[in-house]
Amino acid sequence: MLIFWKGVEAQKIYIDSLNDFLLRKDLPAEDRVNALCKLAKANFEKDLPLSFKQAREALYYAARLKDGRGKAMAFATLIHLYIRQKDLKHAYESRDSAMYYITKTKDPVTTGFVWFRSGWLDLVNDENDKAIAKLLKALDYFKGQQVYDYESTVYHYLASIYGYGNDPQKQKKYADLCYSAALRSKQVDPLNTAYYTSGQSYFDRFKLDSIHRSLLDSALMTNKKSLALSKKEAGRLLIQSNTAAVALNTANSYFQYFPGTYRDSAEKYIDIAIDIATKTNLQEVLLNCYGLKSEYALRDGNYDEAEKILLTGLSAVAADVVKMPLTKARIFLGLSHIAEKRGDKAAALNYLKQYMQFNKEAFDEEKINSIQRVEAQYQAEKKEQEITFLHQEAAFTKKMNLFYIMLGLTGIAALLFLLRSYNYKLKASVRKQKLVDQEKAAAELRAQLKEAEATQLQTEQVLLKERQERLQKELLAGTLQIEEKNELLQLLSGKVDSESHLSVDEQIKKIVNQQKRMDKDFEELKTDFFETNPVFFERLQQKANHTLTRLDLKYCSYILMGLSNKEVSSRLGIEPKSIRMARYRIKQKFGLDKEENLDNFIRSQE
């Protein structure tokens, strides 16, 4: 179908080609639905009733399809048409139906299109936050699907949300994205829409900062690109409303921001807008064009001409299907001011009455629209709640049915069990008691095992602690012995007497033998020393306020072992007098009186 439509060069040819395509008897229902939706979009500006007929026909054929794609596209198309007809109630109903049927298809383009139309409906009703979220969601579905025309349209609406000074930076961002996507689409309508979007972005920024005249020049240049494209591709352009709006905006720019010498340029673009609006039933554009022409007549002071122009505009839209009471009210208010300026108070009063009438109609219409919008939203939420409730109720019913089945099966099984076990009641009772006894014995055994495990664990912990303390003591004793050996070796040279009648070897052997005797004595004392608490030295340091030196601690160890001053003197190779001085110094560090015995004090710290 895309290849078929790619070569279409004129709008009439495009529509005729679609109609010829639909005449094929072997045409699949899905292709027929797509063609009818495209026809509805192509005809809505010129023949809205025909577009409705084609969209409903698309819905008829979509009902034959199992997949929800066709029905979702048809209902999404109806959203657009109902908004064009200003029928919010049916627009919301179509939206709800479209949202339902996208749950029945996995096609991302169709899903994105429905979210796009749903967001556009919120935008029309000034619910911008909802609209932004849905439009962005539509873009997520379009991503990677190469539907650049849809993407460009979504960016156009996002830019319009941030327009009119709301957020110029975001408006420019989405306007640029709109143009970029339009170029990739290689289609006339998206590109024309992109020019319109970019021109509006430049113009909105100029109104915020009118010093930068270049923004206005850029807006006019972009608008003229749109008009040139529309003229060149007139046959291929389906949506004429954007071109009419561009022409009107250009004329209004000349009226507001250029001197009167540019009136011919302004009227040229007014005539372009009037021509397009007349062909496509664009009432609001048409009335605004006549209003702008009337403003020029007022500038000239020609009140009769200004009045005539406005009345011509009113007669041009009198028979249109879609009513616009608010726009008409503004026209009659303008007529009232014109009549008042020329001094015709009766005409001014008459126009003012008609203004009041149409203003009331506009108010009533807005009130009805608001009621319809609220009612539609209420019904939509109500349907969502009903659907949620139905899902919950179905799930609950399913669970209850399953529960009843299981309950029935359980009852039957229980009955069979009772019938079967009736004759073996006594035997079962004995068996049960035996099982209870076994479980009791097993429980007692498990308790005993746990208790044994706890006792074993405690014993292992005690043994581990004793082993650790013994190793610490052995390490301490071994360290002391090694230090004594090292000191002995250092003192050998001092012990050998060159003038002795004994030789050097004999003197050394004598010293070694003496040391062996001392080692023997040390071994006898070492067993008692091993029983010393590992924190012995720490206690001594605490008593002495951490003033004991390493040598002091060694003296304390020898004292604890029960060595006399003479034995300590021989072991360390120093004079007994030095040992006595060391004991006196240690006694002072412990803060002991003269009467207190140092040996008893040290042994008491064990």
Side-chain angles (χ1 to χ4, degrees):
M1 289 179 68
L2 291 173
I3 295 171
F4 180 78
W5 289 323
K6 187 175 180 181
V8 178
E9 296 181 358
Q11 184 176 355
K12 185 176 184 303
I13 296 175
Y14 176 82
I15 295 173
D16 290 343
S17 298
L18 284 173
N19 286 323
D20 292 339
F21 186 72
L22 290 169
L23 292 175
R24 289 173 49 183
K25 294 182 179 180
D26 60 342
L27 186 65
E30 187 172 351
D31 291 345
R32 190 175 296 278
V33 170
N34 289 336
L36 286 167
C37 288
K38 289 180 179 292
L39 271 175
K41 179 183 177 182
N43 289 319
F44 84 94
E45 285 189 342
K46 290 185 177 181
D47 195 339
L48 188 59
L50 177 60
S51 291
F52 270 109
K53 179 181 177 183
Q54 290 164 341
R56 292 187 179 111
E57 189 177 352
L59 193 59
Y60 169 77
Y61 285 104
R64 303 178 181 181
L65 301 173
K66 293 182 179 179
D67 188 88
R69 178 181 177 184
K71 290 184 277 291
M73 286 293 291
F75 277 116
T77 302
L78 282 170
I79 295 173
H80 179 225
L81 299 180
Y82 279 123
I83 289 298
R84 176 73 176 173
Q85 198 180 47
K86 295 189 176 182
D87 187 346
L88 288 177
K89 179 181 177 181
H90 287 96
Y92 273 104
E93 290 176 356
S94 299
R95 194 271 303 274
D96 293 340
S97 299
M99 293 299 293
Y100 170 76
Y101 283 113
I102 61 171
T103 63
K104 305 297 182 181
T105 181
K106 295 181 180 180
D107 181 55
V109 176
T110 303
T111 305
F113 184 74
V114 171
W115 278 108
F116 155 56
R117 281 303 178 197
S118 180
W120 181 69
L121 177 58
D122 291 331
L123 175 61
V124 170
N125 291 317
D126 294 324
E127 295 180 291
N128 290 343
D129 292 338
K130 288 184 179 180
I132 291 170
K134 291 179 181 179
L135 292 175
L136 291 175
K137 192 167 186 177
L139 287 173
D140 289 338
Y141 282 105
F142 292 150
K143 190 177 297 182
Q145 301 301 316
Q146 297 184 346
V147 284
Y148 301 117
D149 53 336
Y150 287 165
E151 288 185 19
S152 180
T153 306
V154 172
Y155 286 130
H156 160 71
Y157 286 116
L158 285 169
S160 68
I161 291 173
Y162 294 109
Y164 307 102
N166 291 330
D167 192 331
Q169 294 302 319
K170 287 188 177 180
Q171 183 187 16
K172 181 181 182 303
K173 168 189 170 182
Y174 288 117
D176 293 342
L177 289 171
C178 175
Y179 179 69
S180 177
L183 289 177
R184 288 197 296 272
S185 74
K186 298 180 181 180
Q187 296 182 30
V188 177
D189 280 283
L191 185 58
N192 187 47
T193 301
Y195 281 137
Y196 167 57
T197 308
S198 297
Q200 191 64 44
S201 174
Y202 283 122
F203 188 67
D204 287 346
R205 280 182 283 157
F206 167 72
K207 287 191 290 186
L208 292 174
D209 188 6
S210 57
I211 297 176
H212 292 84
R213 190 82 178 181
S214 60
L215 291 172
L216 178 60
D217 295 337
S218 297
L220 291 173
M221 181 181 69
T222 307
N223 287 349
K224 289 174 182 177
K225 285 183 180 180
S226 171
L227 294 168
L229 177 68
S230 300
K231 183 177 181 181
K232 180 181 178 181
E233 305 289 348
R236 296 175 60 194
L237 194 66
L238 295 176
I239 308 301
Q240 302 287 331
S241 55
N242 289 337
T243 306
V246 167
L248 179 59
N249 288 344
T250 305
N252 190 51
S253 297
Y254 280 116
F255 176 76
Q256 287 185 330
Y257 302 104
F258 286 82
T261 53
Y262 285 83
R263 179 172 179 174
D264 291 342
S265 297
E267 289 182 341
K268 167 189 170 183
Y269 292 111
I270 291 173
D271 291 339
I272 293 174
I274 289 176
D275 181 59
I276 297 172
T278 302
K279 293 177 181 177
T280 56
N281 299 321
L282 298 172
Q283 284 187 353
E284 190 166 356
V285 174
L286 192 61
L287 286 176
N288 278 297
C289 288
Y290 283 109
L292 193 56
K293 290 175 71 92
S294 175
E295 290 293 332
Y296 270 117
L298 286 175
R299 279 188 180 180
D300 298 337
N302 193 342
Y303 302 121
D304 291 337
E305 181 65 19
E307 181 183 30
K308 181 180 177 181
I309 291 171
L310 290 180
L311 290 173
T312 302
L314 284 172
S315 63
V317 299
D320 202 287
V321 177
V322 181
K323 296 180 180 181
M324 293 191 316
L326 185 60
T327 304
K328 290 179 180 179
R330 290 199 296 265
I331 295 296
F332 277 110
L333 183 62
L335 286 168
S336 176
H337 290 325
I338 292 171
E340 187 178 0
K341 287 182 180 179
R342 76 173 182 220
D344 190 345
K345 295 183 179 180
L349 182 60
N350 183 49
Y351 288 137
L352 190 61
K353 288 180 179 179
Q354 293 184 71
Y355 159 75
M356 295 294 292
Q357 178 185 345
F358 280 107
N359 197 51
K360 184 178 182 302
E361 286 184 17
F363 176 79
D364 292 341
E365 183 183 87
E366 180 60 27
K367 184 168 65 174
I368 292 171
N369 288 339
S370 297
I371 293 172
Q372 288 180 347
R373 181 166 58 249
V374 172
E375 177 64 21
Q377 291 174 344
Y378 168 75
Q379 291 297 334
E381 291 177 0
K382 184 178 178 181
K383 286 179 182 178
E384 289 179 2
Q385 291 177 354
E386 288 176 353
I387 291 171
T388 303
F389 175 75
L390 288 173
H391 285 309
Q392 292 175 348
E393 187 177 23
F396 178 75
T397 302
K398 185 177 181 181
K399 289 181 180 179
M400 288 301 296
N401 290 337
L402 183 61
F403 172 75
Y404 289 139
I405 291 171
M406 294 299 295
L407 186 63
L409 293 174
T410 304
I412 293 171
L415 182 60
L416 291 173
F417 175 76
L418 290 173
L419 290 173
R420 185 178 179 182
S421 63
Y422 178 76
N423 295 326
Y424 303 97
K425 186 174 181 181
L426 182 58
K427 188 176 179 180
S429 177
V430 173
R431 226 176 13 247
K432 181 178 179 182
Q433 185 62 42
K434 186 177 180 180
L435 288 173
V436 169
D437 293 340
Q438 289 177 352
E439 288 179 358
K440 184 177 180 181
E444 291 177 354
L445 181 59
R446 285 196 295 270
Q448 291 174 1
L449 288 173
K450 287 184 179 179
E451 184 177 355
E453 288 176 357
T455 304
Q456 183 180 359
L457 180 61
Q458 186 176 4
T459 304
E460 289 176 354
Q461 290 176 346
V462 171
L463 291 174
L464 182 61
K465 182 177 180 182
E466 290 178 353
R467 182 181 178 187
Q468 183 179 4
E469 290 176 354
R470 185 167 188 84
L471 287 173
Q472 289 176 350
K473 292 173 184 179
E474 288 181 356
L475 178 61
L476 176 60
T479 302
L480 290 173
Q481 189 173 8
I482 291 169
E483 288 181 356
E484 289 176 1
K485 292 292 185 182
N486 291 337
E487 289 175 0
L488 174 62
L489 292 174
Q490 292 175 0
L491 294 172
L492 279 176
S493 60
K495 293 288 185 176
V496 176
D497 187 0
S498 58
E499 296 179 358
S500 175
H501 65 280
L502 299 174
S503 65
V504 174
D505 290 339
E506 290 174 341
Q507 292 183 55
I508 291 174
K509 288 179 180 179
K510 183 179 180 181
I511 295 170
V512 170
N513 290 332
Q514 182 184 359
Q515 186 63 36
K516 285 181 178 179
R517 288 194 300 271
M518 294 174 66
D519 287 343
K520 183 179 180 182
D521 295 338
F522 178 79
E523 287 296 330
E524 294 175 355
L525 295 170
K526 190 168 68 171
T527 303
D528 294 333
F529 179 72
F530 284 162
E531 302 301 324
T532 303
N533 194 314
V535 296
F536 169 68
F537 291 129
E538 180 62 28
R539 290 178 184 171
L540 292 179
Q541 286 285 21
Q542 290 178 357
K543 293 291 183 180
N545 294 324
H546 297 277
T547 59
L548 297 176
T549 64
R550 184 177 180 82
L551 184 59
D552 292 340
L553 292 173
K554 186 180 291 187
Y555 289 150
C556 292
S557 299
Y558 290 141
I559 292 170
L560 182 63
M561 292 180 187
L563 299 181
S564 64
N565 289 351
K566 183 178 180 180
E567 289 172 329
V568 175
S569 173
S570 298
R571 186 170 292 278
L572 298 180
I574 59 177
E575 294 294 332
K577 182 180 179 180
S578 299
I579 298 301
R580 289 193 295 272
M581 291 298 295
R583 288 172 63 87
Y584 178 75
R585 185 176 63 253
I586 293 171
K587 194 173 181 180
Q588 284 186 325
K589 289 183 179 181
F590 285 131
L592 301 177
D593 296 332
K594 292 181 180 181
E595 292 78 12
E596 292 185 84
N597 187 281
L598 178 62
D599 294 2
N600 294 336
F601 174 77
I602 289 174
R603 291 191 184 98
S604 68
Q605 303 304 315
E606 184 180 2

